[in-house]
Amino acid sequence: MRISSTFRAGRSFAVFLAVCGGMAGALDSLPASAQYSVPATTPTPPRRPAAAPAPDDLSARDASVLRRPRSDPPDGVPIGSFVLFPRIEVDGEYDDNVFRTRNNREGDFIFRVRPGLTLSSDWDQHGLDLYALGEIGRYADLSSENYEAFTVGGRGRVDLTDELIWTTYGEFSRNALSRGAPALFALPSAERTIVNVITGGTDLTYNGDPFYGRIGPRFRRFDYVQGGSSQDNFNVFDISGRIGYRITPEFSVFVDPSYEWVRYDKRSFGIDQDNEGFDVRLGVSYDVTRTITAEFGGGYYRRTYDDPNVKPQSGFSFLGRLYWNPLDNVSIEAEARRSFSQYRTNLSNAVAVGNAIETYFGIRAGWEPFDPLLIDGGVAYAQYRYPGQAFKEDYWFVDIGAKYFINRNFYLGPRYFFEHRTARPSAGNYNDNRFLFTIGAQL
C-alpha cells in the first residue's frame, strides 16, 4: 500500500476530533491540559477568573485542584457594568518530531504567543461574555509549519426563573490541525491543514427537583482554507439534551439523546457523503458535594448514509466521568468514552465513507503541595477503528508539568509531553517528545 503526500485519511474526522470532538465531545470533559485526542492549535476562549466561593458551595468537579478558583483571582479592568480580563501567554517549546514521522524525524524549537481578552458582564441577573484569543506559532527552522490561529465569540445567558436558564452562543475560529491528528496522514512535503469553523447554538436548561434537563440545537460549518479542497467542506446540524431524575440528593438517573445531520458541499469521487444518525445513552450519576462526582451512561448509536453503496453503522456507545478529591490538596479526574465520528478516507483516488469508532480512557492527577504551586500529570489511551477499511490507529499520551503563581497576575511552569501512535499502515507509526515552558500574565 503506497501512501502519497496527498493521502488524507479522514480530514473531516480529524477536524471533528481536534476542533470539537464530535457529538460526544460536545459534553463537558477534562481540563484543556487533559484533552488527549490530538488537538488542533485552536485557541481556547479565555474564562473570567472567578472569585472563590464558600468551600461548601463547590461541587467535587469545581473543588478539584485542577479547576477550583484561586483565593486571589485577578481583579480585571472595570468598564461600566462590564469587567475586562486581558491575558497573554508566551511558550517556548522543543518538539523532537514535528512532522510525526516514523523515520527521518525532524526536531525544532517553537515560539508561541497567545494574547486574549474576555469582557464579562457584572450584573446581578443574566450574563454576557465576549471573548477573543489569538495564537501565533513560529518555528526556528521549519518555517513551513508557522501558523496563526484565533477564536472570537460570545455567550449570553437569560435567567428566566431561578430554575430555568436560556443560553445562546456563537463563535468563529481558525484552526491549525496537528500533524498527528487522528485519521490525518501527510508527509512533510504536504502543507499544514487549516480549517475555519463557525459555531452557533442555543440551550434551555432546567435545574428543578426532582426533575432536571437540558435541550438545544447547534450548527457548525467547516471550511478548509489550506491542505484541503472544496469537497472537504461540510455543515453539521445537531440537537441534543438530557432528561434526569433525582432519586436522592446524591443519586440520579438520566437519558442523553442526540441526533445529527451532516451535509457536504460536494460529492467526493462520486460518493454522496451526506448522512445522519442518533446516539442515545441511559445513565446514573452520583454526587457528594466537594468529595466525589461520578456518572456513567451507556447506549446505542446508528448512522445511515444517503449513498446506497455505503452501509449503515451502529453499535454500543458509552461516556463516563469521575471527579474525586481524596484530600483537599489532591484531586483525580478520569474519563472513558466510546462513540463514533464523521470521517472519509482518500487513498489513491479510492474513497470510502463510514464511521470511525473512537474508544478513549484517560486519567489525570493534581497535587497542590502549597498554595502557589500546582503539579499535575496524566496518562491516556485512544483507539480508532475504521469499519471496512484496512486502517486503524492506537495512541498513548503522557504528560507531566507544574504551574507556579508568582502572584495573582503572573505565573510560569514547565511541561513534558510524550505521544505514541501505532497505525495500520505502519508508515503512520511514530513517537514524539515535547518540552514546553510557559510564562503567563493576567489582569
Side-chain angles (χ1 to χ4, degrees):
M1 182 177 292
R2 178 179 63 86
I3 300 179
S4 71
S5 62
T6 58
F7 172 48
R8 302 189 306 275
R11 292 188 183 279
S12 304
F13 172 56
V15 177
F16 259 62
L17 290 178
V19 178
C20 60
M23 292 172 68
L27 298 174
D28 179 38
S29 56
L30 297 177
S33 58
Q35 295 298 324
Y36 289 103
S37 291
V38 183
T41 56
T42 309
T44 302
R47 296 182 180 180
R48 173 179 178 171
D56 292 341
D57 293 337
L58 291 173
S59 66
R61 177 185 180 278
D62 293 333
S64 166
V65 299
L66 298 167
R67 300 172 181 270
R68 65 188 179 197
R70 289 187 51 77
S71 57
D72 57 342
D75 294 328
V77 180
I79 303 177
S81 61
F82 288 82
V83 181
L84 180 67
F85 295 93
R87 78 174 189 186
I88 187 168
E89 288 186 341
V90 177
D91 289 346
E93 177 185 307
Y94 179 75
D95 187 337
D96 73 355
N97 191 3
V98 171
F99 295 107
R100 306 300 192 267
T101 56
R102 181 178 185 179
N103 302 310
N104 302 317
R105 298 155 60 97
E106 294 189 62
D108 203 357
F109 290 93
I110 305 108
F111 177 76
R112 297 188 187 89
V113 179
R114 287 191 296 272
L117 293 171
T118 299
L119 184 65
S120 296
S121 61
D122 192 21
W123 307 332
D124 294 332
Q125 192 178 24
H126 314 306
L128 177 64
D129 291 297
L130 304 174
Y131 55 84
L133 183 68
E135 181 170 311
I136 301 170
R138 291 293 180 265
Y139 288 70
D141 296 319
L142 303 173
S143 59
S144 63
E145 294 300 288
N146 293 347
Y147 66 90
E148 299 84 32
F150 66 88
T151 300
V152 294
R155 177 179 292 269
R157 186 193 79 248
V158 178
D159 303 323
L160 299 174
T161 68
D162 290 342
E163 298 175 333
L164 190 62
I165 296 174
W166 174 38
T167 59
T168 300
Y169 55 91
E171 181 179 282
F172 177 83
S173 64
R174 175 186 173 92
N175 312 278
L177 295 193
S178 165
R179 285 284 184 172
L184 184 62
F185 278 37
L187 296 182
S189 58
E191 61 185 355
R192 189 167 193 161
T193 304
I194 306 293
V195 187
N196 290 339
V197 182
I198 300 173
T199 304
T202 187
D203 288 307
L204 192 63
T205 302
Y206 176 70
N207 190 25
D209 190 9
F211 290 98
Y212 63 94
R214 170 189 55 82
I215 189 170
R218 178 177 56 167
F219 168 78
R220 287 165 289 168
R221 168 70 182 177
F222 296 79
D223 282 304
Y224 288 79
V225 296
Q226 180 177 298
S229 67
S230 59
Q231 67 185 19
D232 294 313
N233 302 336
F234 62 103
N235 298 318
V236 181
F237 307 87
D238 67 73
I239 184 168
S240 63
R242 168 172 290 195
I243 302 172
Y245 179 81
R246 293 185 176 90
I247 299 175
T248 70
E250 296 83 18
F251 184 76
S252 65
V253 295
F254 61 84
V255 56
D256 286 346
S258 63
Y259 201 94
E260 181 179 82
W261 298 262
V262 180
R263 297 294 181 262
Y264 281 82
D265 290 2
K266 297 181 180 180
R267 287 173 171 253
S268 180
F269 297 95
I271 299 293
D272 186 351
Q273 303 170 92
D274 293 351
N275 59 87
E276 59 190 71
F278 66 85
D279 190 347
V280 179
R281 291 189 297 266
L282 300 176
V284 296
S285 177
Y286 179 73
D287 185 2
V288 178
T289 301
R290 193 173 178 82
T291 303
I292 187 170
T293 297
E295 71 172 43
F296 181 83
Y300 178 80
Y301 70 84
R302 180 175 173 82
R303 178 61 56 107
T304 59
Y305 288 80
D306 289 357
D307 196 306
N309 296 314
V310 181
K311 295 181 179 180
Q313 299 285 344
S314 59
F316 176 63
S317 68
F318 63 79
L319 175 63
R321 299 191 187 94
L322 169 69
Y323 305 96
W324 179 37
N325 303 310
L327 300 172
D328 188 58
N329 65 340
V330 175
S331 298
I332 297 173
E333 302 187 3
E335 181 172 327
R337 64 178 182 264
R338 187 176 191 267
S339 61
F340 66 96
S341 291
Q342 180 75 15
Y343 89 97
R344 63 190 167 127
T345 60
N346 183 345
L347 178 60
S348 300
N349 293 331
V351 177
V353 183
N355 291 320
I357 310 305
E358 177 203 21
T359 304
Y360 167 91
F361 300 93
I363 187 169
R364 173 164 296 273
W367 175 42
E368 193 176 58
F370 52 91
D371 186 25
L373 178 64
L374 172 65
I375 300 172
D376 70 294
V379 178
Y381 169 74
Q383 177 191 91
Y384 301 94
R385 294 295 181 262
Y386 304 80
Q389 306 297 311
F391 180 56
K392 66 177 184 178
E393 295 170 298
D394 294 272
Y395 287 89
W396 281 98
F397 303 93
V398 179
D399 81 282
I400 186 169
K403 192 174 187 179
Y404 179 78
F405 292 87
I406 301 171
N407 53 42
R408 68 167 62 185
N409 301 118
F410 296 94
Y411 56 90
L412 52 82
R415 187 162 296 274
Y416 166 73
F417 296 91
F418 171 76
E419 183 180 315
H420 169 81
R421 178 169 72 180
T422 301
R424 187 172 62 194
S426 60
N429 296 353
Y430 69 78
N431 291 317
D432 179 61
N433 297 277
R434 295 161 51 207
F435 305 87
L436 176 72
F437 193 84
T438 302
I439 299 175
Q442 54 191 4
L443 295 178

